[in-house]
Each structure stands twice: as structure tokens, then as C-alpha cells.
Amino acid sequence: MRHLRKVKQLRRVAGQRKALLKSLAVSLIEYGRIKTTVPKAKALQPFIEKVITKSKEKSLNNVRILNGSFPKKTVKRLFESWGPVFADRKGGYTRIIKIGQRISDASPMAFIELVEKPLEIEVGKKAKNVAKKPVKKEKKEEIEEEQKTDKKSSKEKK
């Protein structure tokens, strides 16, 4: 019997379940929205909410706890872009949107997404913003030229 067991098992042993939740959490932190099955989304929701709650306050203890569970790039993104966004919010950082059934096996699918958009963070030399804003034509042309030169320089390096 399952008395007093709150964790959904997802037909996996504990180690596989933890790895699945961590990988889903990393994807959600990176992209802000992922497509998965409804049971996985429901299992991920309390897990990611606890992680975001820890990222709201940048203390040494919270950094060490999250560094033990996630890659450094993900932890940096949590503390620099997602933590400040959710600083004033007391909970409810994610939403689940059901989108119907998967064609192959008819399992119920859903999007799980973070409610807010992230702040800009610097990745390498350039600032990268996940939340796309409308760009004026002049700036769009400049950005396209920069991207072309970046592609040419990367090909030359190879």
C-alpha cells in the first residue's frame, strides 16, 4: 500500500526517477518551456518549485546545495536570471498546459512552463535573452550581419 508516500513513482526506481527529474528541470530552466507527458509534468512541478525557491536568495548554502545537484551553467542561470524574476512571488512559478494525446501511444501530453520571462544574462561575450522582443529593421540588419561574420569566423577556425 502507498500510505504516506507522496512521490509519484513514474514506473522507475529511485535513482532513475531522480535523474529524470533533474534532466527535465535543467531543460525547463534553460528553455523556460518544455513538452512532456502529464504525469512527468505533475511530478516535476513540486521539484522545480523547490529549486526556484532556493534560487531566490543567493546564500552560500543555497549555491552549494544546487551545485551538488545541477551543472554550474544551470545554477548560474538560476541565480542570475530566474531568481530575481521570482523574488517577489511566493510560489506558483510553473503552469501545466494540457495539449492532448501523443499520436504513437496516446499518452496525455502537456507543456510545463515557467510563468515569468527571464532576465538577460551574459553567455560568453554577448548578452542572450530568452524572451524575444520585437526588433527594429535597422537593428535586425545589424544583428544578421554580426551573425554572418560569426559563422564565417567559426568556419575559418575549423
Side-chain angles (χ1 to χ4, degrees):
M1 288 196 255
R2 291 192 65 250
H3 296 302
L4 295 176
R5 295 180 189 229
K6 293 182 180 180
V7 177
K8 292 286 183 184
Q9 294 199 353
L10 301 174
R11 295 185 179 185
R12 288 167 171 79
V13 295
Q16 292 174 355
R17 186 171 52 249
K18 287 177 186 175
L20 172 73
L21 290 176
K22 284 181 185 179
S23 67
L24 286 173
V26 168
S27 297
L28 184 61
I29 291 164
E30 185 178 343
Y31 298 111
R33 179 181 197 181
I34 58 172
K35 182 179 178 181
T36 184
T37 61
V38 173
K40 288 179 189 173
K42 287 182 177 181
L44 176 64
Q45 196 167 23
F47 180 79
I48 195 70
E49 300 236 349
K50 291 171 189 167
V51 169
I52 292 173
T53 302
K54 281 188 176 42
S55 73
K56 288 179 5 179
E57 180 187 350
K58 190 171 183 177
S59 67
L60 182 61
N61 189 37
N62 288 341
V63 172
R64 286 181 176 172
I65 288 170
L66 294 179
N67 271 335
S69 300
F70 297 104
K72 292 187 185 234
K73 180 181 173 185
T74 304
V75 174
K76 181 179 179 184
R77 184 168 178 87
L78 264 171
F79 281 107
E80 290 182 3
S81 65
W82 290 112
V85 169
F86 293 118
D88 298 332
R89 200 175 185 96
K90 294 189 177 183
Y93 311 118
T94 58
R95 74 169 65 101
I96 296 175
I97 303 168
K98 295 180 182 178
I99 56 172
Q101 296 179 337
R102 187 164 37 197
I103 295 172
S104 61
D105 60 355
S107 61
M109 299 297 289
F111 282 116
I112 181 167
E113 63 183 9
L114 295 168
V115 180
E116 307 270 338
K117 299 292 181 197
L119 297 176
E120 287 187 9
I121 61 168
E122 287 190 19
V123 178
K125 296 180 181 177
K126 298 180 182 178
K128 184 177 182 181
N129 188 1
V130 176
K132 301 287 183 180
K133 296 180 182 176
V135 181
K136 294 182 181 178
K137 289 184 180 180
E138 301 162 358
K139 290 186 178 182
K140 190 174 184 180
E141 293 171 358
E142 292 175 11
I143 293 170
E144 289 174 354
E145 290 176 15
E146 288 178 12
Q147 290 175 349
K148 288 179 184 177
T149 57
D150 290 341
K151 287 181 183 178
K152 288 180 183 177
S153 63
S154 64
K155 287 181 182 178
E156 292 173 2
K157 289 179 183 178
K158 290 180 181 179

